[in-house]
Amino acid sequence: MKAPVRVAVTGAAGQIGYALLFRIAAGDMLGKDQPVILHLLEITPALDALKGVVMELNDCAFPLLADVVATDDANVAFKDVDYALLVGARPRGAGMERKDLLEANGKIFGPQGKALNDHAKRDVKVLVVGNPANTNALIAQQSAPDLDPKCFTAMVRLDHNRAMSQLAEKTGKHNTDIKKMIIWGNHSSTQYPDIHHATVDGTAATDLVDQAWYESDFIPTVQQRGAAIIKARGASSAASAASAAIDHMRSWALGTDEGNWVSMGIPSDGSYGIEPGVIYGYPVTCKDGKYAIVQGLEINDFSRARMDATEQELREERSAVEGLFAK
Ligand SMILES: NC(=O)C1=CN([C@@H]2O[C@H](COP(=O)(O)OP(=O)(O)OC[C@H]3O[C@@H](n4cnc5c(N)ncnc54)[C@H](O)[C@@H]3O)[C@@H](O)[C@H]2O)C=CC1
Ligand SMILES: O=C([O-])CC(=O)C(=O)O
């Protein structure tokens, strides 16, 4: 049996937390041979609710759950952690854009970035889920000068999965037939779901669907899916978000499949002409616990305009939060 690894989850008593913790403890994220110690962070008023979640975790008698730490202190929550899923943040309501949450949520991520800087393992893998995820990840990263910026990622995997599902439905195929989907940019309504490199059961996706459907149906459906869920459910996506978080971390830790890639929000290194530093959705392959941007893809004018628009939004969000980087 492997030695246990430490996995921090913030907002552990929230909706996504409730859909996430039990799957991590069951081995869905890091494998059925990897014991985990869960470190659960909540705000003080939610500690009672968190106690109930811990009771339920214990009641599952999971073979892989080695221990649980429940706390309202980020310094305790991030002590020696190998993985950190930063979920705890307010969700948006109907009629809001995710960036409207920056004021309420941005201030959470400076102190948490600093606590990670001071206490986490030096190769910690951080996934920011709390919205607006890309810019919150930037705030955390900028507040952790002693950690490699590559430790910090934001979730665009839910968008990636949504895009695969839409394309599968349109072409009458299964999700597993879709390869090489891309979400470029921000987890927001400016994100650019790109099918120019995608294949469906080995055939180029662009040969199977027409431009009108791509432009006027597929792209807006994927961009607006979060809002559509809020309208239908009266609450933002939780189970699908938790599932995407599991997918993101599993790909990063255990690797991507040969001949395929996934989308991750990562600090830009300037690839594809994107402003260095902003946390931008890129196609990546993962191996041995590291991700690498897929290079050399041909970008046409249609794609370029959309990649630039979502980059522009990320630059604006960055300008708005520079005061929130913790020293
Ligand atoms: N990146 C993505 O694809 C997605 C992101 N989200 C975002 O995830 C976040 C969480 O969503 P839900 O779980 O549905 O919300 P929720 O309101 O059910 O749960 C959030 C939890 O975070 C806790 N919390 C608040 N501040 C905290 C702090 N400083 N430290 C630790 N915990 C804290 C709250 O007490 C609450 O229990 C929201 O910002 C939502 O917009 C949701 C879906 C997809
Ligand atoms: O739309 C929201 O606010 C929640 C979210 O990020 C998503 O479902 O993609």
Side-chain angles (χ1 to χ4, degrees):
M1 198 52 136
K2 292 179 176 173
V5 293
R6 296 179 184 273
V7 181
V9 178
T10 74
Q15 280 214 82
I16 295 176
Y18 198 67
L20 181 60
L21 299 176
F22 299 86
R23 291 193 54 197
I24 298 175
D28 288 357
M29 186 169 95
L30 297 172
K32 300 285 180 191
D33 60 346
Q34 180 58 68
V36 293
I37 299 172
L38 286 173
H39 287 220
L40 309 181
L41 180 67
E42 260 297 347
I43 53 172
T44 313
L47 283 181
D48 271 344
L50 185 59
K51 203 179 284 171
V53 174
V54 175
M55 287 161 72
E56 284 203 73
L57 278 166
N58 290 333
D59 292 350
C60 292
F62 285 118
L64 291 171
L65 186 57
D67 201 0
V68 182
V69 175
T71 178
D72 58 0
D73 181 347
N75 297 315
V76 174
F78 296 143
K79 180 86 186 132
D80 294 331
V81 295
D82 303 278
Y83 300 87
L85 293 90
L86 308 189
V87 178
R90 244 182 73 186
R92 66 174 167 155
M96 292 170 78
E97 285 294 333
R98 295 185 188 93
K99 66 182 163 203
D100 299 336
L101 291 167
L102 256 188
E103 202 173 305
N105 289 344
K107 56 180 181 289
I108 295 172
F109 293 86
Q112 289 189 357
K114 185 172 186 325
L116 284 161
N117 186 67
D118 295 347
H119 299 289
K121 290 262 177 68
R122 296 303 85 180
D123 59 351
V124 62
K125 291 179 168 56
V126 182
L127 167 63
V128 176
V129 174
N131 276 319
N134 300 53
T135 296
N136 288 337
L138 178 74
I139 296 169
Q141 183 273 314
Q142 288 288 325
S143 306
D146 303 333
L147 292 173
D148 185 339
K150 286 186 144 189
C151 296
F152 289 85
T153 68
M155 191 160 94
V156 294
R157 186 63 172 267
L158 179 53
D159 311 294
H160 182 101
N161 289 346
R162 287 166 172 165
M164 291 208 310
S165 154
Q166 291 296 321
L167 184 59
E169 191 179 324
K170 176 71 177 174
T171 53
K173 296 286 181 179
H174 191 259
N175 299 321
T176 49
D177 295 319
I178 313 286
K179 309 276 190 249
K180 300 187 174 176
M181 183 58 71
I182 305 176
I183 303 296
W184 298 103
N186 201 1
H187 173 63
S188 77
S189 50
T190 67
Q191 68 176 268
Y192 172 45
D194 182 358
I195 64 164
H196 288 94
H197 309 277
T199 56
V200 182
D201 201 12
T203 303
T206 47
D207 290 346
L208 297 173
V209 299
D210 59 45
Q211 184 68 17
W213 175 80
Y214 177 48
E215 220 172 312
S216 310
D217 197 333
F218 174 82
I219 294 177
T221 298
V222 176
Q223 287 174 331
Q224 296 297 335
R225 188 67 161 187
I229 304 259
I230 291 169
K231 188 155 177 269
R233 220 172 76 84
S236 71
S237 356
S240 56
S243 197
I246 298 256
D247 290 345
H248 176 114
M249 284 304 211
R250 191 183 54 225
S251 297
W252 192 359
L254 304 182
T256 43
D257 294 337
E258 198 55 45
N260 201 2
W261 60 57
V262 297
S263 305
M264 285 170 69
I266 59 174
S268 168
D269 63 356
S271 291
Y272 295 98
I274 300 305
E275 168 75 1
V278 297
I279 310 286
Y280 192 89
Y282 276 106
V284 300
T285 54
C286 304
K287 200 175 174 210
D288 301 329
K290 295 193 165 29
Y291 56 78
I293 296 172
V294 176
Q295 298 291 349
L297 298 175
E298 206 175 301
I299 306 297
N300 65 18
D301 291 348
F302 181 89
S303 294
R304 187 76 255 167
R306 282 158 183 78
M307 288 165 67
D308 289 349
T310 189
E311 180 214 36
Q312 181 56 32
E313 182 180 48
L314 283 167
R315 286 173 187 254
E316 286 164 14
E317 288 184 17
R318 181 175 65 180
S319 306
V321 300
E322 270 158 0
L324 297 176
F325 301 162
K327 291 287 173 286

